[in-house]
Amino acid sequence: MTPRIPLVIDTDPGIDDALAILLALASPEVDLRLVTTVHGNVDLALTTENALRVLHLAGRSDVPVAAGARASLIHPQPERAGHVHGAEGLGGVQLPPSPARPDPRPAVVALAELLTTSAEPVTVAAIGPLTNIALLLAVDPEAAARIDRLVVMGGSAARGGNVTAAAEFNIWSDPEAAAAVFGSTIPTVMVGLDVTLPTVLGEAGIARFAAAGPVGATAAAILQQYLDHARDAYGVPGVVVHDALALTEAVVPGTLGTVRRDVVVDTTLGAGRGQTLVDRRTVSASPTAVEVAESVDADAALEFLVSRLSRLDRR
């Protein structure tokens, strides 16, 4: 048997974050060893509670959840995303509380300990603001250097932004953290709006995993508010599965077509704040270059997501 990939998800649930967590739990290729939470779509207390509840929904309350940064590194995050994800982050759906409590260790400590003690290379899927990863780089660079692969949902190479004209939400929430991460030598994949916006999960796909059983039906209910938002924001009859697409790349490396590029984050306080400036003129040989996702087989990625989520109840 092929060894499973040890995986950490750093997240701010959030509707599409919840979908990504469920996708990881439905994927035999990975061993989800830790979930760390961060401020973002809603505040830290809610992202942590939501992570615990999503894991419990899927019968995996054994996965530890460690709470991380409650605020961005320097400048406060201007606003949350309750208008997209609901006031509590899961589209107004009340999941049963988990019997598990958060890990007593701060997220950076829990992540550093896992990285330094793991016998196998660890993949980290960072699908929220990058504050926790930047803090790890600052306080324990030796542990950070042990990340085998960092898959980031965030940014945009050519599509502009989704929270401002220039910036994607996760990067905009803490541009200084993103600048530190993209300026590091951690092997990083940037899964941005260039590949997530074309990957739209329609109502027929949602209906397939909704029919599989109570877990799938609950996931579909969580998506309903996101579906309504997508119609208004993007004019599409489906949901843009930002975080689940990044998780797919973490589960099956090579799902997305990437090109090695230099990426700079705008940390000024003007209209461009949070923009990822991707140098698309040439392939980069720099040790700090980022693998930027530039192409996707959207139909295949969506089929992967739907088929995996449909397995959760059968499992």
Side-chain angles (χ1 to χ4, degrees):
M1 292 180 62
T2 303
R4 295 195 295 166
I5 301 169
L7 177 68
V8 177
I9 299 179
D10 186 64
T11 180
D12 61 333
I15 291 171
D16 52 335
D17 304 76
L19 209 64
I21 292 170
L22 293 174
L23 175 60
L25 297 176
S27 296
E29 296 91 344
V30 298
D31 175 14
L32 182 58
R33 295 190 178 179
L34 174 68
V35 172
T36 53
T37 58
V38 67
H39 70 97
N41 288 316
V42 288
D43 65 34
L44 181 69
L46 285 171
T47 64
T48 304
E49 181 62 26
N50 289 346
L52 288 165
R53 292 186 181 219
V54 170
L55 289 166
H56 178 52
L57 170 68
R60 290 300 309 276
S61 297
D62 58 299
V63 176
V65 175
R70 66 181 61 255
S72 45
L73 292 180
I74 299 174
H75 298 285
Q77 181 181 343
E79 63 181 275
R80 305 294 184 197
H83 63 291
V84 178
H85 298 270
E88 295 186 353
L90 294 179
V93 175
Q94 291 291 323
L95 297 182
S98 171
R101 304 312 309 150
D103 192 295
R105 299 170 296 172
V108 170
V109 174
L111 179 53
E113 289 182 358
L114 188 150
L115 289 167
T116 54
T117 59
S118 176
E120 302 86 25
V122 176
T123 294
V124 177
I127 55 176
L130 289 168
T131 316
N132 288 340
I133 310 303
L135 288 170
L136 178 69
L137 278 163
V139 303
D140 198 337
E142 292 81 9
R146 292 178 62 88
I147 296 175
D148 183 57
R149 193 165 180 258
L150 176 67
V151 181
V152 172
M153 191 282 119
S156 171
R159 286 257 187 169
N162 64 350
V163 66
T164 70
E168 179 277 328
F169 178 84
N170 284 344
I171 306 301
W172 172 84
S173 296
D174 194 346
E176 286 77 14
V181 172
F182 288 144
S184 76
T185 56
I186 299 174
T188 300
V189 182
M190 186 183 97
V191 181
L193 301 181
D194 309 273
V195 290
T196 65
L197 289 180
T199 309
V200 179
L201 175 62
E203 294 188 56
I206 296 170
R208 279 176 55 193
F209 59 77
V215 177
T218 303
I222 291 171
L223 281 172
Q224 186 57 52
Q225 174 159 325
Y226 213 41
L227 191 63
D228 295 339
H229 170 74
R231 288 195 189 98
D232 295 336
Y234 303 124
V236 295
V239 296
V240 180
V241 288
H242 302 285
D243 294 338
L245 185 62
L247 212 293
T248 300
E249 174 62 32
V251 171
V252 185
T255 293
L256 303 174
T258 67
V259 182
R260 193 166 177 81
R261 308 287 197 192
D262 292 318
V263 179
V264 174
V265 179
D266 186 336
T267 57
T268 66
L269 300 180
R273 181 167 173 80
Q275 182 178 9
T276 45
L277 301 165
V278 178
D279 188 347
R280 301 177 69 207
R281 295 172 299 173
T282 184
V283 176
S284 176
S286 168
T288 61
V290 173
E291 291 288 340
V292 176
E294 296 186 358
S295 60
V296 59
D297 183 336
D299 290 341
L302 291 167
E303 178 58 31
F304 180 84
L305 172 63
V306 170
S307 63
R308 289 296 171 93
L309 293 180
S310 299
R311 295 180 188 179
L312 275 171
D313 287 286
R314 293 198 297 271
R315 187 196 65 184

